[in-house]
Amino acid sequence: MVNLSAWDDAARRRLVAHARKFGRQEDLAAAAGLPKPTLQKLLSGSAEPKISTLLAVTNALGISLDTILNGANELTTMQDYEVFVAAPVAIPMHDVAFSAGPGAEALLAGDGDASAVFPEAWLREQFGKVDDLRLVRASGDSMEPTITDGQWVMIDVARKTGDGIYAVRVANDLFIKRLQFQTTRVFAISDNPAYELFIINLEDKADRDAFQVIGRVVWTGKML
C-alpha cells in the first residue's frame, strides 16, 4: 500500500523539476486529468496531496511515484530506457578481497572475472571515457563509513595523481585508501579512525618498488 509518509519538500522539488521538463502547467494538468489550480497547489506545496492526485501526475510524467517520494535512482522515461539498452558498456569486475600478486596487473588489463553493464551515455557524461573504468569490491572496514565491507566501487586506472581515494598495491596486497601526495612521501589513510595511516617513503627504493597506484576511485554509488 502506498502512503505519503515520504512526501516532503524534497519530494515536492523533485516533482517540480519533472514538471518543468514536461512543459506548461496547463498541458500537464490536462494530461493528468486534473484542474490546473489543483496541480498548482500541489507544485507550490500549498495543499497536501492525495495519492490519487500524485499518481495522476506521475503517470502523466511517465515516472514512478517512488521516484518522487524517495528519489529512486531508476530509469524514469522510455527515452532513458532506450539510451540504456542502445549502448550498454560492460565494465570489468575485480574482487579485491582475493587479489594478490598478479591481481594488480589483471585489474589494469581489465581481465575481470565478470562484468557489469552500464549505459554508455551516462559513463561518458560522468567520466568522459569508458576504457579505463573498472569495478572492484572492497574488503574490510578500514574505509568506513565512506566505503563499506563488500561494496563495489568504480575506479579509473588512468587517474593516478592528486589527493583522493585510490586502489593501490603494497607488495602483494591490494588496498583502497585515501592518499595524500607529498614530494617525497605518500600518506595512505583509512577513513575509519581505528586504523593507523602508513607512509610510503618515495626516496626509499624498497618502498617505491612495493608501492603502485592502480587507479582513482571515482564512484561508490555516488560521484566522488
Side-chain angles (χ1 to χ4, degrees):
M1 177 179 178
V2 178
N3 63 65
L4 292 179
S5 61
W7 176 258
D8 56 15
D9 194 58
R12 183 189 66 81
R13 290 197 301 271
R14 285 192 288 269
L15 184 62
V16 169
H18 282 280
R20 285 175 177 166
K21 293 179 182 178
F22 184 93
R24 299 189 307 169
Q25 287 188 3
E26 50 262 47
D27 293 337
L28 177 56
L34 298 171
K36 183 179 176 182
T38 299
L39 177 64
Q40 290 175 325
K41 289 179 181 179
L42 175 63
L43 297 178
S44 67
S46 60
E48 289 293 320
K50 297 179 180 178
I51 290 283
S52 58
T53 302
L54 270 178
L55 283 173
V57 175
T58 54
N59 285 340
L61 291 170
I63 60 177
S64 72
L65 183 58
D66 194 42
T67 298
I68 297 302
L69 295 182
N70 301 309
N73 184 19
E74 59 182 27
L75 301 174
T76 58
T77 68
M78 182 57 68
Q79 182 180 8
D80 292 335
Y81 178 77
E82 289 171 351
V83 169
F84 182 85
V85 298
V89 172
I91 303 298
M93 301 175 71
H94 303 264
D95 197 336
V96 170
F98 299 100
S99 293
E105 285 69 30
L107 200 159
L108 288 168
D111 298 330
D113 299 324
S115 62
V117 174
F118 288 79
E120 182 178 5
W122 179 81
L123 291 172
R124 292 195 181 281
E125 178 184 356
Q126 300 298 332
F127 310 113
K129 54 187 177 179
V130 300
D131 294 341
D132 297 319
L133 299 175
R134 310 283 188 269
L135 285 166
V136 299
R137 186 176 72 86
S139 177
D141 62 354
S142 68
M143 287 300 292
E144 289 185 352
T146 309
I147 298 172
T148 58
D149 182 31
Q151 181 177 354
W152 287 94
V153 301
M154 190 177 295
I155 68 169
D156 185 339
V157 298
R159 298 179 60 181
K160 301 184 180 183
T161 59
D163 294 352
I165 301 175
Y166 288 85
V168 300
R169 176 185 63 83
V170 180
N172 286 328
D173 294 316
L174 299 183
F175 299 96
I176 294 177
K177 295 295 178 186
R178 188 178 297 276
L179 301 185
Q180 291 182 359
F181 294 89
Q182 294 188 356
T183 303
T184 60
R185 297 183 299 179
V186 179
F187 292 87
I189 303 166
S190 300
D191 283 6
N192 185 339
Y195 290 78
E196 295 184 358
L197 66 81
F198 59 88
I199 301 172
I200 297 91
N201 180 4
L202 299 178
E203 295 182 320
D204 183 275
K205 185 178 185 302
D207 271 16
R208 288 199 311 272
D209 291 344
F211 178 69
Q212 178 185 12
V213 177
I214 297 170
R216 184 163 184 163
V217 176
V218 293
W219 184 80
T220 62
K222 62 181 180 181
M223 300 300 296
L224 291 181

